[in-house]
Amino acid sequence: MEMTALKDIKLNIFPGEFLVVAGSTGSGKSTLVQHFNGLLLPTNGRVKVLGKDTTDKKHRNELWRLVGMFFQFPECQFFNATVYDDIAFGLRNLNLDEKTIARRIREALAIMGLPDEVKFAHPGKLSDGTRRLAAMAGTLAPRPKILVLDEPGAGLGPKDKKIVFDRLQCLQKSSGVTIILVTHDMEDAAAYAERVALLKGGQLLRVDKARHILADTGVLREAGLRPPYAVELADRLRQEGIHLPSMPLTVADAAKLLGSLLKQKAGD
């Protein structure tokens, strides 16, 4: 029995933006992003990446370098004895000389905030957070123009998760790489997204600025997602007659607004 995984998707992604593709389990978000580097091809319609159709065989053969794909738990994909050898494997397929490979690896590790010595380590002996960052360095070393990350914080503690996401945001701001984050966690979207594309049942429910979508509890619940904690808190306060001057998206935003409100009340 044939099933349609995606239907009527019309989505433009802008160079250098931080886009979140959000939806509940089975919404089609992981299937959608696998079209961005030619892993999947559309049965109907067209997908153009960096101005060219993914059905162009020559272009599709280059997409593995131009579009870095980062799947859940990528550290499980390490297969060499050292981080260096693992990252170097992909770079050698680009026919780079060893001096250039060494420089690319050093730069990629630095972007992820890792010391150069990490390249000598066995991946299995690194902490979870460091191993995740090292895996990301491997994705960055070919210097992709687009980075697609499927739940990159999965399985990490809050501290390691924040380090990973902060590094990604820093990379986006400093180098202009386009970041596409796949997640069902609206806390991550609230902290980092510029725009959000919301999927439900393989269809695009809505795409808009993060602030507009994440403040709309109705559309989030329609997509089977829980709104950010700060948005839920603001809603409950409003029901109690306490109106914040603006809608907070993160807990830090809510704390600042509540602090400001308390100072204002104290001064009255």
Side-chain angles (χ1 to χ4, degrees):
M1 179 179 177
E2 286 191 2
M3 293 184 64
T4 301
L6 299 169
K7 183 180 179 182
D8 298 331
I9 301 287
K10 294 180 181 179
L11 176 64
N12 290 319
I13 300 173
F14 307 120
E17 76 169 322
F18 198 126
L19 173 77
V20 161
V21 177
S24 61
T25 301
S27 62
K29 54 188 186 296
S30 294
T31 302
L32 174 63
V33 298
Q34 288 182 59
H35 285 78
F36 297 167
N37 76 337
L39 281 175
L40 296 176
L41 296 177
T43 52
N44 286 294
R46 300 173 65 191
V47 175
K48 296 182 77 174
V49 179
L50 298 171
K52 296 182 181 179
D53 201 304
T54 57
T55 56
D56 181 321
K57 189 173 181 180
K58 183 179 179 182
H59 181 52
R60 191 165 70 251
N61 288 339
E62 293 182 347
L63 284 179
W64 74 270
R65 179 180 60 83
L66 298 172
V67 182
M69 294 291 291
F70 190 84
F71 297 104
Q72 288 189 46
F73 305 108
E75 59 269 24
C76 298
Q77 299 170 28
F78 280 115
F79 56 89
N80 277 301
T82 68
V83 169
Y84 185 97
D85 288 337
D86 214 89
I87 299 176
F89 178 84
L91 294 177
R92 290 186 180 116
N93 288 331
L94 295 175
N95 297 317
L96 299 176
D97 61 79
E98 291 301 315
K99 185 177 179 180
T100 301
I101 288 172
R103 186 181 73 252
R104 290 275 191 99
I105 292 173
R106 183 173 62 253
E107 291 172 351
L109 290 173
I111 289 171
M112 288 292 102
L114 296 174
D116 195 50
E117 299 77 46
V118 166
K119 67 187 180 186
F120 301 116
H122 187 287
K125 294 183 178 180
L126 298 173
S127 69
D128 290 344
T130 301
R131 196 159 54 243
R132 187 71 54 91
L133 290 169
M136 285 189 175
T139 306
L140 292 177
R143 297 181 178 174
K145 295 181 180 295
I146 300 168
L147 194 56
V148 180
L149 305 113
D150 193 346
E151 301 283 5
L156 294 181
K159 182 179 178 181
D160 284 335
K161 187 177 181 180
K162 186 176 187 307
I163 290 172
V164 167
F165 278 106
D166 284 352
R167 285 289 168 184
L168 288 172
Q169 188 177 57
C170 182
L171 171 68
Q172 179 233 354
K173 298 294 185 185
S174 63
S175 69
V177 65
T178 303
I179 292 185
I180 302 167
L181 170 65
V182 177
T183 187
H184 64 274
D185 190 331
M186 294 301 93
E187 300 303 318
D188 295 337
Y192 299 98
E194 295 169 354
R195 286 198 307 149
V196 174
L198 207 57
L199 295 183
K200 178 186 177 183
Q203 293 185 284
L204 187 61
L205 190 61
R206 184 176 166 188
V207 58
D208 205 340
K209 291 181 179 179
R211 173 162 295 279
H212 297 158
I213 286 187
L214 298 176
D216 189 338
T217 57
V219 76
L220 289 176
R221 291 196 171 102
E222 183 182 351
L225 298 170
R226 179 176 179 174
Y229 297 130
V231 173
E232 289 187 321
L233 173 62
D235 271 353
R236 291 179 186 178
L237 289 173
R238 186 165 53 246
Q239 291 168 17
E240 297 295 326
I242 302 171
H243 296 271
L244 297 178
S246 61
M247 175 63 77
L249 296 186
T250 67
V251 173
D253 291 340
K256 288 179 182 177
L257 288 172
L258 284 169
S260 176
L261 191 61
L262 289 173
K263 285 181 180 179
Q264 182 181 338
K265 293 291 184 183
D268 290 343

